Amino acid sequence: MSERRTPARRVLLVDDAEGLRGYLARLLELRGFAVDSAGDGERALALLDAGASPDVVLLDVLLPGQGGLATLNRIRERHPALPVVMLSVIGRAATIVEAMQAGAADYLTKPCDEDELVDVLERACARARGESEERAGADAGPLWNGETLGRVRELLQQIADTDVTVLIQGESGVGKEIVARAVHETSRRHARPFVKVNCAALPGALLESELFGYERGAFTGAVARKTGKFEQAAGGTIFLDEIGEMSAALQAKMLHVLQDGRFARLGGNREVEVDTRVVAATNRELGQLVGRGGFREDLYFRLNVVNVVIAPLRERRDELPALIDHLLRRLTARYRRPPRRLSARLLRLLGRYSFPGNVRELENLLKRIVVLESEEPVVRDLLAADGPASGRQEALDRLLEEVERSAGDLPLREVGRLAALEAERSAIERTLLRTQWNRKQAARLLGVSYKTLLQKIRECGLEAG
């Protein structure tokens, strides 16, 4: 009998550009969504009226005939509980505001980041179904029950009715964006846009135009006015990730925006006024950076009204079981794999691992397990990364389990034999990993014959993955 797969979430994709529609459909299917497509608003409404039941609609603004905003209004009238995410090359603040006022769940501008698109669709589905998702806010179930994130949750509840700036600090991959989204979702601005900008991804001039937009003719290729992320986030929250990488000149402009809520687009003289809350994050110690002259002290104080420091995962091991369970459920649903639990052996290895990449690294490890439907590649990598000391500990753990299962019936000589076998197994396994399972090379390194090594591999139960 075939294994039961978790049903995929369904997207109704509405875009008149056939090439882009095909590309997005393939992308979303690879990310675990089922996709229905329509080339215009009338066809999309006909599908909905005929009984199509998507979890979310991805709707282009510029459509032939009945436009995207008119289609949005008709969807809201006929299917008020169905979330609609708008997608367009148009980034005008007025268009974004009109879409959000009409009930759009979110608004993305083309070209958009693939992970961001999937994340927005998942959150729209989660809110519509009343689910507690990791990125949906501070009520994210077991993820927020640990000591570290529990304190963060209490802090976010204290500032929920304010618009103060928030500075989130922590190593890469600890979950700074999760906390930033929680700041937004627990605030009075939760129904308005949440816009993320990675300050480390663009050089100074490009980052300035991304944040504040530009006027027509501001530079070669600027054939039309473009609104920036601050205007797109009007009424909502802008998340400035890796703000410690921002240039000195742009820091000065950012200070002006935080003080007055005004800025001028690149190449323009007229000031634009916006009501946008700022949440910033960095993996650098900004206080030390200020001391070395690498970051403006006045901007640091403006950003650091509320400071949230997220400890690395290696210092939050109490959260590992709930985090693993949550990520496994989310990943098996995304990739339509059967539910699974990790073995005791892998859980012990994860419990000792230092996680230099923090939560992001843990998610990638679990993603490999879910997609490949096997733990062995991850187990081998963890054993290789931990080195000889961990190998001895792993062997000892297995031996102690065997002694415990036998309730003390094993003679001391047998315990010694098992310990020696585990030591041999650990040495052979590490050498095979080092040589990428080249048995002849491993035999030379171990100082045994090729035939002896093959026999030991069989005795120890080792197999190439």
Side-chain angles (χ1 to χ4, degrees):
M1 185 173 64
S2 62
E3 293 178 321
R4 184 178 178 182
R5 301 276 179 175
T6 304
R9 292 181 176 181
R10 184 167 292 277
V11 178
L12 175 56
L13 171 60
V14 189
D15 198 304
D16 63 313
E18 185 176 355
L20 179 61
R21 195 168 66 242
Y23 162 74
L24 290 175
R26 289 190 295 274
L27 165 66
L28 294 174
E29 286 169 352
L30 288 172
R31 295 300 189 96
F33 289 90
V35 181
D36 296 318
S37 297
D40 54 54
E42 288 83 356
R43 174 61 179 162
L45 288 165
L47 287 173
L48 292 173
D49 293 341
S53 55
D55 296 293
V56 62
V57 177
L58 183 59
L59 177 63
D60 188 31
V61 170
L62 293 178
L63 291 173
Q66 175 181 280
L69 293 176
T71 302
L72 169 64
N73 285 316
R74 292 179 65 183
I75 292 175
R76 303 311 301 151
E77 291 171 3
R78 301 183 191 183
H79 310 275
L82 179 59
V84 180
V85 174
M86 304 301 291
L87 181 65
S88 179
V89 293
I90 295 179
R92 289 196 299 267
T95 305
I96 298 171
V97 170
E98 185 178 356
M100 301 306 290
Q101 287 177 341
D106 217 320
Y107 191 110
L108 294 171
T109 54
K110 302 176 184 177
C112 61
D113 180 78
E114 293 180 358
D115 289 333
E116 182 182 10
L117 172 61
V118 171
D119 183 60
V120 165
L121 293 175
E122 286 182 341
R123 285 188 292 111
C125 292
R127 283 197 294 266
R129 292 182 175 185
E131 296 175 1
S132 294
E133 288 285 342
E134 167 187 346
R135 294 180 175 88
D139 294 324
L143 284 181
W144 295 87
N145 290 340
E147 182 179 352
T148 298
L149 290 187
R151 289 196 299 267
V152 172
R153 178 179 58 184
E154 293 174 0
L155 178 59
L156 298 190
Q157 290 171 346
Q158 290 176 340
I159 65 172
D161 60 347
T162 72
D163 283 335
V164 294
T165 55
V166 178
L167 178 62
I168 306 169
Q169 294 181 276
E171 295 179 4
S172 294
V174 293
K176 296 190 291 293
E177 184 178 346
I178 296 171
V179 174
R181 290 188 181 278
V183 172
H184 175 71
E185 294 289 345
T186 56
S187 74
R188 296 173 296 189
R189 297 172 177 261
H190 66 274
R192 312 298 293 176
F194 176 90
V195 177
K196 174 188 173 182
V197 180
N198 187 335
C199 299
L202 297 170
L206 287 178
L207 179 59
E208 182 177 0
S209 68
E210 185 75 6
L211 288 172
F212 305 115
Y214 52 79
E215 298 289 352
R216 179 180 179 182
F219 51 84
T220 303
V223 296
R225 172 189 288 176
K226 177 188 175 182
T227 58
K229 297 296 187 182
F230 262 94
E231 288 179 85
Q232 294 174 24
T237 304
I238 187 168
F239 174 44
L240 304 177
D241 197 12
E242 303 304 346
I243 196 168
E245 307 301 323
M246 186 176 286
S247 68
L250 196 49
Q251 287 178 37
K253 188 166 184 176
M254 182 61 62
L255 179 64
H256 177 65
V257 175
L258 289 174
Q259 288 174 335
D260 304 328
R262 300 169 182 269
F263 62 87
R265 298 189 189 97
L266 200 64
N269 296 315
R270 185 178 68 85
E271 286 200 326
V272 178
E273 185 172 352
V274 290
D275 172 27
T276 304
R277 184 185 194 176
V278 174
V279 177
T282 179
N283 61 8
R284 307 177 69 179
E285 176 50 63
L286 281 193
Q288 295 179 6
L289 201 58
V290 168
R292 298 194 298 268
F295 199 83
R296 291 181 65 112
E297 184 178 40
D298 45 7
L299 178 57
Y300 172 64
F301 289 134
R302 280 281 179 179
L303 293 170
N304 197 32
V305 177
V306 173
N307 186 278
V308 178
V309 178
I310 308 176
L313 186 56
R314 61 184 172 275
E315 298 176 11
R316 297 154 46 194
R317 296 191 184 275
D318 64 307
E319 300 174 17
L320 263 179
L323 189 56
I324 289 171
D325 181 65
H326 173 82
L327 291 172
L328 279 176
R329 283 189 284 108
R330 187 156 63 83
L331 291 168
T332 52
R334 173 182 292 181
Y335 295 106
R336 288 176 284 178
R337 296 293 196 267
R340 68 175 302 131
R341 297 173 65 88
L342 301 186
S343 67
R345 183 190 186 196
L346 179 54
L347 288 172
R348 284 195 302 272
L349 287 171
L350 292 173
R352 291 197 297 267
Y353 187 54
S354 61
F355 288 105
N358 291 293
V359 179
R360 185 180 297 122
E361 182 180 14
L362 173 63
E363 183 172 10
N364 287 335
L365 290 176
L366 296 177
K367 189 180 296 183
R368 288 174 62 194
I369 292 170
V370 168
V371 172
L372 299 176
E373 297 187 340
S374 172
E375 293 182 355
E376 288 310 306
V378 171
V379 168
R380 288 199 302 268
D381 286 352
L382 290 175
L383 284 171
D386 284 354
S390 178
R392 289 193 295 271
Q393 182 62 48
E394 174 75 4
L396 180 59
D397 284 346
R398 286 197 298 265
L399 177 58
L400 290 176
E401 285 178 2
E402 178 64 25
V403 172
E404 185 178 352
R405 282 194 298 271
S406 67
D409 292 339
L410 281 177
L412 183 60
R413 181 178 298 176
E414 181 65 9
V415 173
R417 187 189 71 80
L418 289 172
L421 181 62
E422 289 294 357
E424 277 191 349
R425 185 186 191 282
S426 178
I428 293 170
E429 186 174 33
R430 290 197 303 274
T431 305
L432 288 169
L433 288 170
R434 178 180 171 187
T435 63
Q436 297 182 331
W437 283 82
N438 184 321
R439 293 170 179 81
K440 290 184 178 179
Q441 185 180 354
R444 286 196 300 271
L445 291 174
L446 290 167
V448 298
S449 69
Y450 180 68
K451 183 177 179 181
T452 298
L453 177 61
L454 293 182
Q455 181 181 346
K456 290 293 184 182
I457 288 174
R458 287 193 295 270
E459 289 177 357
C460 295
L462 293 171
E463 295 179 359

